[in-house]
Structures are given as structure tokens and as C-alpha cells.
Amino acid sequence: MRENVVVQNIERAPREIVDGLAACGVATIHEAQGRRGLLADYMRPIQQDVSVAGSALTISGAAGDNWMMHVAIEQAKPGDILVFSPTSPSNHGYFGDLLATSAQVRGVVGLIIEGGVRDTRDLRKMNFPVWSKHVFSQGTIKETLGSVNVPLVCADQLINPGDVIVADDDGVVVVRREEAEAVLAASRKRLENEETKRVRLANGELGLDIYNMRPRLQEKGLMYV
Amino acid sequence: MRENVVVQNIERAPREIVDGLAACGVATIHEAQGRRGLLADYMRPIQQDVSVAGSALTISGAAGDNWMMHVAIEQAKPGDILVFSPTSPSNHGYFGDLLATSAQVRGVVGLIIEGGVRDTRDLRKMNFPVWSKHVFSQGTIKETLGSVNVPLVCADQLINPGDVIVADDDGVVVVRREEAEAVLAASRKRLENEETKRVRLANGELGLDIYNMRPRLQEKGLMYV
Amino acid sequence: MRENVVVQNIERAPREIVDGLAACGVATIHEAQGRRGLLADYMRPIQQDVSVAGSALTISGAAGDNWMMHVAIEQAKPGDILVFSPTSPSNHGYFGDLLATSAQVRGVVGLIIEGGVRDTRDLRKMNFPVWSKHVFSQGTIKETLGSVNVPLVCADQLINPGDVIVADDDGVVVVRREEAEAVLAASRKRLENEETKRVRLANGELGLDIYNMRPRLQEKGLMYV
Amino acid sequence: MRENVVVQNIERAPREIVDGLAACGVATIHEAQGRRGLLADYMRPIQQDVSVAGSALTISGAAGDNWMMHVAIEQAKPGDILVFSPTSPSNHGYFGDLLATSAQVRGVVGLIIEGGVRDTRDLRKMNFPVWSKHVFSQGTIKETLGSVNVPLVCADQLINPGDVIVADDDGVVVVRREEAEAVLAASRKRLENEETKRVRLANGELGLDIYNMRPRLQEKGLMYV
Amino acid sequence: MRENVVVQNIERAPREIVDGLAACGVATIHEAQGRRGLLADYMRPIQQDVSVAGSALTISGAAGDNWMMHVAIEQAKPGDILVFSPTSPSNHGYFGDLLATSAQVRGVVGLIIEGGVRDTRDLRKMNFPVWSKHVFSQGTIKETLGSVNVPLVCADQLINPGDVIVADDDGVVVVRREEAEAVLAASRKRLENEETKRVRLANGELGLDIYNMRPRLQEKGLMYV
Amino acid sequence: MRENVVVQNIERAPREIVDGLAACGVATIHEAQGRRGLLADYMRPIQQDVSVAGSALTISGAAGDNWMMHVAIEQAKPGDILVFSPTSPSNHGYFGDLLATSAQVRGVVGLIIEGGVRDTRDLRKMNFPVWSKHVFSQGTIKETLGSVNVPLVCADQLINPGDVIVADDDGVVVVRREEAEAVLAASRKRLENEETKRVRLANGELGLDIYNMRPRLQEKGLMYV
């Protein structure tokens, strides 16, 4: 029953691997790692056409309480992405432009929050990207302890501190830190493969032929009428 | 119990009628055809300020299975719009940039999907418009047959292959193919009528007077205090 | 049981106070007035990066009936913002570009509606901002009386005619007319205070230190490991 | 654009077939007809442990308007089940104990409504079963025409007048009238088959063996550790 | 900006009027007072076949904080019903069997809560009825002040302390204290009127004839085919 | 990237501890272990007034695919409770009376499923309790491998194989296997403590006095008027 702890030293994936994953995109990474790791589809960006990747700095706090946000920022290293999950569902606005200012100074590249965010216009102006479940201004209190850099569940996924988070317009995916290099390799291979297919499809070939689907469709009994 | 069929030859409305409807907009068409045909309000565009119209190429598939998408694209004609409905609710990402590339080559003008879509940033870049219930990257399988160009229910509406689909920022409306010409005429008439009213309203006249509402309000007992 | 009335003369807050509040933003005002007055988080803007404030012209109508919208517009004064709440939940499109044209002529600065809106692209072009629960084209009827400028509940909040409504990308907040001046003063003070903190945070100071949180965290038992 | 009609003579399935289907249950029928016909899972019973089947007497009405309910009851024959769908989403209470009294006199066996119902305690006392999307007392008006005994979409399914509706604790399924006999036969066969399996399972045999799943699991690569 | 107050002396409606309303039921009262006062349809009972009425003892508290519950119980008089609304949405379990024991000792007849409740099985055993938005065990804190016996918004309705609350299987309705006597009279008249109609309907007369609907249906153009 | 595995030997908590927890109830256990472990509030029982506890036999499967259910039952030991979570959201009916028959033979005491269940009336008759997110008959396929007895996320909580699951009318809570004994002790202590308080409350003492709340309320500024 270990609770109310701040883990100060966590391992992170190498920066070049994190950056490599950012360039691959959520859908590709999700496929490349065996269709695992997608956060729930209610995690939506407050901005458009932005992709980021970072090392998860995890924050577990009580519903409606953002005290641990302040504790967490002190632990941040450049390239981190904040991942906040309340211990029960809540739409409060846990994070706004002041916290973003402080986080950005320390090199934090974004926020993933299964809760609410506010000052969204300012956050977009600051180029501080956020994926959240809610946009809501409701204020928070600072009364109950929580934990920083412990494993937590956020939007259907287990996230360990130091796991790699990738987020873009399609949503958010988590990659285990120790699998990050392999997933990057698999993602790049997949991208190359997709590029080849894109050219063939753009030339008018059909997926039915490229993937050789016709025999199996016939065998299963598809009827053309 | 006719299932697992691909209907290869369907009738479509003439292109000029479809294009005419695109210019009228969803709200106007919905009114012009007697307030029928609106798809549920959870069908939202992934882009802004885009209107399209096309002939429905309908696709019925199992939840989490996009096999029939590939089958459908072979049946596409220029000006078609893909309409996908899973046989039970699902937020999987059935469609992404590769399928869009293939569809666009064949002249498909967009996608209406009561499910999920992914690669949304790429789709916007490609100018391939989508109205969907979800944005989600979750991968799909290719195991269960479905049907192409059969009548289906999508987001509360019955859609027949070849019906005209019109979609814009307000949502999606279906027009029966055999009514399309009449609906276009009624829509244009309505637009003219609205233009006249807009001028009067812009000049400061009130709807209360233009529509002669005062006597009936008084009769029903509205009190001004 | 006073119903079906139109209150013609309501008090409004001075224009400079309303405009002052517009500049403060929803999150700041919500905090400055003791964390009260936020409308539910499902009230979303149809446009981005727009802030408005206005005096509430309240409209209570039956579900699916927009008759009272026309009645209300006659009562509008420059600087008013329409606040519509149906007497039971409904997603109909109560408001579109024609009503907006009429409202804009009278100086109405926006619409807050716990229901649906349509012609959203046109409304954006007209610079007529809307915060709504739904975007939907479904037409409305004009059969049942309602009331204008009576107190009503909209999206979880009681709103009196003449109260000040402020809306931006974060949502919507209501300020009691008689408290508007005090809330504006408190909001401005808060903004100044925030500006000071922003500078300190931007210089790398931590919230933990600025707000002197460390002793209380320690006392409550937070452990660093 | 045929609207506002009451179709007086519709074909119904033979009573013994309808009754036979009632005894099979929703899950079995759904499977027996190829996994089609299930209404959305938000259609919930107001009572427990009741199964019914009846011929669909379909009713299409405006949101918040129950006028067509009265029109429909005149068309009812013993063994009919009312199926009401509003033309846009609504939670109004379209139906209560008075309408149920009138319907029951005519032999109506229940109500399926993609909307609200009220007087639920009385309805249970009367043994008048209902499956609805909402329970809500909100009153309705009688202003707008609709149609009776036309095809409509209710809770994701197309329902034709005279189709067989079966409802139990699991939900609601529609069977095409012309397929009812075949579906009954298939359902009974399925029930027999299930009974055999139940005995084997109750004796401790595993589904893995009864369905011979082990080879395919192995082939696909399932690992026991 | 009057906050954090406990109003100790409130007016209540006479007990015989409150009891009279309990016997009328939610749907009837809602109609009798002009279709006003219904709480949102997500307020569901944790028990079946129970009707209560009581004088509203209103409680406004922070999300996830049930401190004011304890403060409120001291203010309770026999015949009161607790009405709790958090200042922002929350599903925490604010109330369980201990609070119910304390409330029941003071004559409280039930709880209406736009939040969560726990120990539901015990509450049913104690015959302490509850209508809530959620059933959830999540614990609450006692850190933030709120108010008791102030006007508040609960589930879409404004509720004043001392207003009469009536709740049954259909949901919850509020009656203004000063209108309670008139609403009771109107409800009883309506019940008598309904009883007459029920007899006629039970004898086979149609609503179409009892309410003389046929001429207006014909005039509006309903076609029988 | 360890996937598609069946872990055959897992540790379970002693039966007397599991049974002891069943008697404590969800709300008490949740509190006793520091307000952790509650599954999301959408996990609702299909029966009333039933409490169970069991050792989690975890099952991870693809959306709409119940193949792993059959694999899992072979691994069941008396006192186990099945915990199923699909890898993406789905309302399919993964489980019905046949699987329950097989599970019950092996001593399985219930099912927790973040998905759908069917044959609910039969399951109640069999006294096989279920807590599910959905009730829906939609059939499933057996095409994609998953895993049995691996850690998984179900309804917001991480669940390890062998963890203790307790479920009653309030919902579902998970207790870590290695903490089960301590949590049982803490729960029993809490129950005793509650019993003492219940007696005092039943005798008319107030929570305000029992918990000595008055000084702190005064200090925070609560005003009685």
C-alpha cells in the first residue's frame, strides 16, 4: 500500500528514439507494437496538426485537486510529457497557462490529462500541446496528497513513468520504455512498407489485389450480383 | 436473408443534380424535403468549412472489421461517397490515408462512417473529407464478410445505394435518389426565399412582422410586461 | 405560476464593465467570483479564439420550438447576448443564419444555447459567435409559448435577465449583474497577480516555492524516494 | 415524399409463429437469423423477467409529440406491439397508463419506444411491458402529424409494419415478417443444439473440446506458460 | 456573493399538503403545474415502487466533499428530504448507511442527489429511498465549506429550501412551496379527470373520440390509405 | 511484447480471506485500503442484493471476440471470478448461459466484464452473478488470440491475476492479492468502528459532534443565519 510518494529518479528512453517515434505517428506505432497502447478515444487535442512525443512524467492526484502538478514539475526533465490521471472521474480544470509556463521552462513538451484543462487559447498561443478528456475552467484545490512517477491507469492504459507517449490528431499511444527502440524500428519498417503501397494504390491498383484478398473472399462465400 | 453480397450496378443521380445539392447545404435540404433524412448529430467532420455531395456507395461490415472497405472501393465510380456502418457499435479506425489514396484515385469524394477514422491530419492534407462518429486509431481485422451496395441504417437513417449524401459543417443528410431532382428544386426555391428574407432582416425588419406572428402570439396569450 | 411573459425592461450592467469582463476571460472570472457561475462543460464554441461578453437576454422555450427566439430579438439592445434554454433536453437546430442576421442588426453579440445550432459555417463567416450543446440541422416549430427575460436554468446555472455572460474557448460563465463591478475589480487584481507569477515562473522559480507548499506537503507526509 | 399517412391494412405473421418466437428469446433469435436485427443496447425494459413477441405497429412522430399514438391505437389488432420512433432524439414521456389502458383493451402486448415513458409503476402493475430509451415524465403536445404503419428506423434497426418484434431482459430484436417462419425453425434448432451442449458442459466437458478449438489455437500460436 | 451559510429557519409547506402531493405522483404533478419542475431524467431511484414527498433541505457542496451533509442533518425536521448538488459534476459516493441512519432518526424521508450514493443495499433494507445520478463507492473528503438551505440548481431545476420534492419510479419533480396548495388541488382534479377517462378507455372508447381529435387530424391532412 | 499467452499457475489469496472480504462489502473495502481499487461506475450488476468475492482469472480478448473465454474456463479453480476486458471498447454479448454453465461447474463464482453480457434472465436463475458495462445480445467471433491470466486494465483499474475482486450492489473493487489479508483486517476494524457510530447516530447524536467538526467549521468561516 505504497502511496503519496515522489519517485525522483526514473529511467527515460534515449531522446533520439523518442523523437523518432514522434515522427511515426500514433496509428503507425499502435500497429507496429501489435495494436496495443491506445488511450481511450475521448482524449482529444486542444490544437490541430501537432504531433509530440515525450517521456511520461506520471501524476496521480485526487479528483479536483491539482497539488501534485506543482510537485511534479520540479521532477521534470527536458523532453518529458506530463501524464495526469485523477483517482476518480473529474472534469475540473487542473492545468492552465501558469502551470504551462512553469512546465515549458523545464522543457516539458506537453500534457496528457484524463480530466479538464483551461486557458486553452493561451496554451495554443504558447505552443504547449494538450490532449484532455475535458475543457473546463472549474478550479481545483490543494488538499490531498497523491504520487508522482508511479505506474497509473490513464484513459484505459497502464502508464509507467518513463514510458514513451506519442500524441497527434488521432489521439495518444503509450510505448513501454524498454520496447521503445524495437517499436521505433518496427514503425519505420511499417512506414516504408506503407509508402510502397501508397504508390501502388495511387497508381490505381486495388487493395483487393495488392493484399491478394480475392481467393479468401470467394472461399468465404462473397457473392457479386 | 440475403447477406454477403456485392451489388455491382446501382443507379446514381445525375452529377449535375448531386453538385447542385452540394451547393444548397445540409440545413436547407433537410427543410426542403420535409425535415427528413438527417443523420444523428454525433456524425462530425474532421475538417472545417467543407461541403460535399456524392452518391452513396454503402458498406455494411462487422464491428472492428474493414475488409469490405477494400471490396467497396473496386465498385466506386467518380462522385461516389463511401457510407460505412458496422453491424454493431464500434469506434475502431476503419479508414486511413492508404484507403483514402485508393478511393481518391477512383474519384470518391468523401467518407461517412458510423465508426472511427484515423490518419486525420493526412486526410485533411489530401482534401479527403470525412464525417465520423469517432476518431480512433484502433486497428481492424479482415475476417468476416459483409455487403456492399445494400440498404443499411447509418446514424439513425436508412440509406440506399445511390441515394445522394450531402455533408457540411452542420452534419450529414440523405436524399433519396428518386427524389433528388425535386429536392434540389425545392432547396433552390427555399434559398431564394431565404435570400429575400435575409435582406429584409438585415434592413431591420423583425421576424415577428415578416412572418406575421403577432396575432397568433396574442391569441395564445403571450403577455408583455 | 407566472408563465408566457415577455419582460420588456430589464436592467443591464454598464457597457464598460461588460467589456472589461470580456477581456478577463472565463477562467479568471470564475476564480475571481469564488468559483461560481460556470456553465456545464458540454457548452462548446463553434468558433476558435473568440471571447465575448454581453448582457443576458434570456429565452425559455419548449423543446423543438424556436418561436420565442423571434419574440426575443425585438427586445434586444446593443451588447446583449441571447441565452436560450429549452424546457426539456433537445438537440434541434433552433438558430441559424437568418436569426443571426436579425440579431446582429440589433447589436446582439452572440448566442448561448443549451440545444442545437445550424448554419455554423455562415455564422462563423458573419462573426456571430455561438456556444451550444449541439450542432444539428433539425428544424423547429412555432406552436408553444415560452417566456423572454425571466430567470432560467441553462447548463447547470441559474441565469437572470441582465446578468453578464462571458464566453471564450474555455466555455461560458455567468456573473450576477449586481456583482459585475466587484467581479471585474477582483478579476483585474487576479490578472495582475497572475502576471507577476508568470514572470517568476518563466524565470524558473517553482510553484512549490512561490506558493510555499513544501512545509505543508512534508507535514501531510509526502515522501520523496 | 409520402408522409403523414396511416396504413390501415398490413400483413402480420401468424400468431403461432409469433408466439413461438417469444419462447426462443432475443439472443437465440438474433443468432438464428445471422446476427441481424438487434435494436441498440440503450433500449431497456422497465420490468424484469418478461418476454413478449408481437407484430410491429409502427408509429413515426415528431419529437415531443404523441398525437400519432392515439391514431395508432385505432389500428391495433390483438397481438400487436407498438413501435414508436421520434423523427429526432427526444426523452419526452410519450406514453403512460391511460394510453396503455386503451392499447391493452385492443390486445396490444407491449411498447418499444426510442423515447421516454412514464407511469412506469402503473404499467408494471398492469402487466403492460415496455422497452424504452428513457423514463421521463415530460409531457408531450399534439400538433404535428406523423405516420402509422410505415417503415421506420428505431434504435439502429429498420422496422417494417408487421415485422415480428421479440423483447426480453436482454433487449429487443426484429424479425422480418416474411422470414419469421424460417427464423423460428432455425431458432428452435439452435435451442435443441444448445440444450445438448448445456448437458455436456454441465457434465464438465470443456468448450475447448466440444468445439474442437485446440488445434486452431495452437496453429495461431497461443502459448501456455 | 453570500456563501458558506447555513440558513436555520426556513418555511415549509404544511404536512398534509406534502403528503397529498406524494399520493399524486410525479407525472400528474408535472402536468398539473404546467409541465414545469422535472429534474433531469438521469436522476434514478435505487429502489422500485416507492413514492415520497418532502420539504427540500438543500445542500450545496464542493465536488467530492460531503462535509455539508453532516451540517445539514442538524437542520433537518421530520418530513424533510435532503437535496444535494455539488458545485461541479462528480460521481463520488457522498452518502451511505451511516448518514442515512442519522437522517432517519431526525425524520428525513429521503435523498435527492446529483452525485453518487453508496451502501445501496443497506439503504433499501432501511427503507431510506434515494434518487441519484450515480451509484459509486468513491469516498469523499471534508475540506471545503458549502451552504445549507440556499437556492441551488439540481439536475436542471432551481430548488429553493422548503420547496416540495416529489419522487417516484418516474423521477423527481419540484413544486414551489408557495404554489404547493394550488398544485395539489390541480393534481387532484387531474387525477379525477384521468379516472373518468381511464374508465372510458377501458370500455373500448378511443382517445381519438374522447378528445375529439378526428376533425383536426383531417384538417391538417392526415391520410388513411 | 509478450502476447497471446495463457499463464497456467497463478497464486491466489487463501479462501477464508476472500470469503472474509465478501462479507465486508465494496464501500468498506475501498475505504479500508485507502480509497483505491474501485472499478468505474458503469460496471453494474444484472441482479440485486448479491455480494461475491473471488480470485481474478483475467482474460484479455479482442473487441467482439470471446474465444479466450473458452480458454480461460479450463484454467479456472473453485472460487475464481472471471474478469474480462476487451482491447478496445465493445458492447458485444461475450458471455451467456452456456459459458456460465461451464464456468459454474468449475466453481467460478461470477463474472466482471467491461463489455456486454446476454441471457441475463437465465444467469439470474442460475445464481451466476455478473457485473457488466452492457447488456446486449450481439454475437461474438472466435478469430483473434488474446491472453489469460496476464495483468490488464478493466474499467479504470489495473487487475493482476489472483487479485481479489469484491462486487456487490455498489459496484466492484479490486484488492491486491498480497495486500488482501491486511485489507481484510482493516475492513473488519472499520466495520466495528462503523457499528459503534451507527449506534450513536441511531440514538440521535450528530456526526457534527461525534467527529468533532464544529471547531473547524467555525474556523473556516461557516456562518449560521
Side-chain angles (χ1 to χ4, degrees), chain C residues 170-186:
Chain C
D170 287 353
V172 185
V173 68
V174 58
V175 179
R176 298 282 164 251
R177 182 184 54 76
E178 57 275 20
E179 300 174 2
E181 190 168 356
V183 171
L184 175 58

Side-chain angles (χ1 to χ4, degrees), chain B residues 142-172:
Chain B
K142 296 169 202 343
E143 290 289 351
T144 305
L145 293 187
S147 292
V148 173
N149 279 333
V150 295
L152 50 73
V153 172
C154 178
D156 294 355
Q157 293 296 334
L158 177 68
I159 301 182
N160 303 300
D163 280 349
V164 182
I165 303 292
V166 186
D168 64 18
D169 292 84
D170 287 352
V172 186

